[in-house]
């Protein structure tokens, strides 16, 4: 997508007019197209949460976050869990 300089300029008058689009949130507090991180001590459920969020984006809102399932593709990439652990989380 090619952007122009106007895509990066804030129009103060428009901002105060109330004529702005609502924010597209993937999750509460996480804007679509932004980067977030999930940080917590080990064995506190980060992987389970991430897996549940992925499932919620494509099926039903399993966690009650208000996620509207869409016709999308989700990639869950983990470098720490073997397949057997992922299978148990999904089950």
């Amino acid at each position: 997508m090619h952007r122009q300089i106007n895509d990066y300029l804030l129009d103060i008058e428009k901002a105060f007019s109330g004529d702005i689009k609502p924010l597209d949130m993937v999750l509460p507090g996480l804007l679509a197209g932004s980067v977030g991180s999930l940080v917590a001590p080990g064995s506190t459920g980060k992987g389970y949460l991430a897996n549940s969020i992925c499932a919620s984006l494509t099926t039903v809102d399993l966690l009650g976050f208000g996620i509207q399932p869409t016709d999308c593709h989700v990639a869950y990439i983990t470098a720490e869990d073997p397949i057997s652990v992922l299978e148990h989380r999904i089950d």
Side-chain angles (χ1 to χ4, degrees), residues 13 31 47 51 56 63 69 77 83-84 86:
E13 186 176 338
L31 186 63
N51 197 358
S56 293
L63 302 172
I77 302 170
I83 295 292
S84 59
L86 298 174

Side-chain angles (χ1 to χ4, degrees), residues 66-91:
I67 299 171
Q68 296 300 315
T70 60
D71 184 23
C72 66
H73 299 281
V74 175
Y76 178 66
I77 302 170
T78 179
E80 63 180 359
D81 296 317
I83 295 292
S84 59
V85 171
L86 298 174
E87 290 171 340
H88 279 271
R89 283 189 185 146
I90 292 171
D91 184 46

